[in-house]
Amino acid sequence: MIAKIMKGSDFRGVVNYILNEEKGTQIIDADGLFLENNDTIAQGFIGQAQMNPKVTKAVGHIALSFSKEDAPRLNNTVMAQIAREYMERMGIKDTQYLIGRHFDKEHPHVHIAFNRINNNGKTISDRNDRFRSERICKELTKKYGLHFANGKEQVKIDRLREPDKTRYELYKILKTEVGRCRDWNTLLERLERQGVGVQFKYKGQTDEIQGIVFSMNGYRFNGSKVDRQFSYSKIDAALARDNYGERQTQPQPLANREEISPTASGGGELINGSLGLLTPSNAPEEQQPYDPYLRNKKKKKQRKINW
């Protein structure tokens, strides 16, 4: 289950889209509206929105899509129940809404139109709505035992329209190249060969990079809008990890070792016998192996107070 959230100002437009006869629409739930026809529905939305004319985008529009594997169990009653629970968790309540189910695609999906001006004339908050929506969709998918799709990996690119088509092409390029590159120079060269432009965004008048913008086919996208894993900071971290991993797999030269030749003490005896090597017990203090436990014991003895 995934949700696409949109906001606008044209109630007639969203009502006509949802109730388009070519999509085989069925109204599966509604509240606070007179459902005689498209015009009466739109007029109902518009009338309530006028309670708070300062809000220019009073139209809420959410598309809830489900995996085609769930189609046999998603009848209208179940889909309406899930949609209502989704709205409740999103804080979309005490307001007018219309839920229409479309049948123009192979996967089950519904469209929700709601008034962002609630029944008391107050605005329904959209703060962090996309992040909240993503979390709620996962929770409801798990609660109802629905199929977890693999996100962008199952997108049918031939059905996408611009700029989403270019965005998805860019997603596939970045997923491949970021995974195989070890530094920014190599990544930028590979992207340029495939027609992808890159522009960095800087903080104020400083040299500190705080964002990245990709351009392709005449469209521009912030890195995080292509996918959250392609923000500047996350790409930079991925390149650093790849570079570190490559260095770790390369054979490391052995450190030069100085041979310690047998030496005689003032009495003419070897320090540690026939091998002529220093043993830990006889080694000078600076050559003793580091033992934090022993160091702590020494410190404790030094702090002992004699009464």
Side-chain angles (χ1 to χ4, degrees):
M1 171 181 170
I2 59 174
K4 183 177 181 180
I5 301 175
M6 297 154 278
K7 290 179 282 287
S9 57
D10 184 6
F11 278 109
R12 294 185 187 279
V14 73
V15 169
N16 289 335
Y17 175 80
I18 293 177
L19 300 182
N20 187 340
E21 293 181 359
E22 295 180 359
K23 300 181 183 296
T25 307
Q26 294 180 4
I27 296 177
I28 62 175
D29 198 12
D31 188 53
L33 298 166
F34 186 38
L35 303 179
E36 182 178 357
N37 54 50
N38 292 15
D39 188 58
T40 59
I41 296 173
Q43 285 292 349
F45 278 127
I46 294 171
Q48 181 157 305
Q50 290 174 349
M51 296 170 64
N52 193 341
K54 293 182 179 179
V55 178
T56 57
K57 292 186 177 182
V59 179
H61 178 193
I62 300 174
L64 292 182
S65 298
F66 304 83
S67 174
K68 62 181 181 180
E69 282 81 359
D70 294 319
R73 48 191 304 215
L74 290 178
N75 57 38
N76 289 353
T77 301
V78 174
M79 294 185 76
Q81 179 179 343
I82 295 174
R84 284 193 299 267
E85 186 168 349
Y86 170 86
M87 288 192 293
E88 178 73 21
R89 295 192 184 198
M90 285 290 292
I92 303 170
K93 50 189 176 181
D94 299 324
T95 193
Q96 301 165 312
Y97 67 82
L98 171 73
I99 304 176
R101 181 175 182 177
H102 284 180
F103 293 87
D104 59 327
K105 296 179 181 179
E106 61 181 344
H107 66 275
H109 62 287
V110 298
H111 288 266
I112 304 170
F114 67 94
N115 204 327
R116 294 190 59 234
I117 309 303
N118 69 15
N119 300 335
N120 299 314
K122 295 182 179 180
T123 307
I124 294 175
S125 175
D126 61 351
R127 185 175 183 180
N128 296 325
D129 56 355
R130 284 173 173 79
F131 294 104
R132 291 187 288 117
S133 175
E134 183 177 352
R135 172 179 56 81
I136 291 168
C137 283
K138 290 179 180 178
E139 292 173 353
L140 291 177
T141 299
K142 184 177 181 180
K143 176 180 177 179
Y144 287 92
L146 302 175
H147 178 75
F148 276 95
N150 293 324
K152 294 183 176 68
E153 305 304 325
Q154 292 189 346
V155 171
K156 296 185 177 180
I157 193 169
D158 58 307
R159 301 186 64 174
L160 294 177
R161 298 179 181 178
E162 296 292 4
D164 289 335
K165 184 175 183 179
T166 294
R167 190 200 311 269
Y168 183 68
E169 290 175 353
L170 182 57
Y171 165 82
K172 292 199 298 183
I173 292 173
L174 289 173
K175 188 173 180 63
T176 299
E177 299 301 344
V178 171
R180 68 168 59 165
C181 294
R182 302 291 179 265
D183 56 71
W184 276 104
N185 288 336
T186 304
L187 176 61
L188 295 178
E189 289 176 3
R190 290 181 178 273
L191 293 179
E192 184 179 6
R193 291 177 199 163
Q194 299 182 65
V196 178
V198 179
Q199 181 180 357
F200 295 104
K201 297 164 66 176
Y202 295 88
K203 184 177 181 180
Q205 301 299 319
T206 69
D207 294 331
E208 180 183 351
I209 300 175
Q210 65 175 9
I212 190 169
V213 178
F214 299 101
S215 57
M216 183 178 177
N217 298 338
Y219 299 100
R220 291 166 54 87
F221 308 96
N222 289 332
S224 59
K225 296 299 183 182
V226 178
D227 193 87
R228 293 172 64 182
Q229 64 181 300
F230 297 133
S231 65
Y232 170 76
S233 60
K234 290 188 177 180
I235 292 177
D236 192 55
L239 294 176
R241 286 194 303 270
D242 293 341
N243 188 32
Y244 175 78
E246 183 179 44
R247 286 188 284 110
Q248 290 296 98
T249 58
Q250 293 177 352
Q252 300 295 322
L254 295 175
N256 293 329
R257 299 181 180 178
E258 293 184 3
E259 293 185 1
I260 303 176
S261 53
T263 57
S265 65
E269 296 180 356
L270 293 177
I271 291 179
N272 76 323
S274 60
L275 293 179
L277 299 176
L278 297 173
T279 62
S281 60
N282 296 322
E285 184 177 353
E286 62 271 16
Q287 294 183 8
Q288 290 279 5
Y290 175 72
D291 188 337
Y293 174 72
L294 293 177
R295 291 176 63 89
N296 289 338
K297 288 185 66 176
K298 289 181 180 180
K299 289 181 180 179
K300 289 181 180 179
K301 288 182 179 180
Q302 292 173 358
R303 291 197 297 267
K304 185 176 180 180
I305 300 174
N306 295 321
W307 295 94

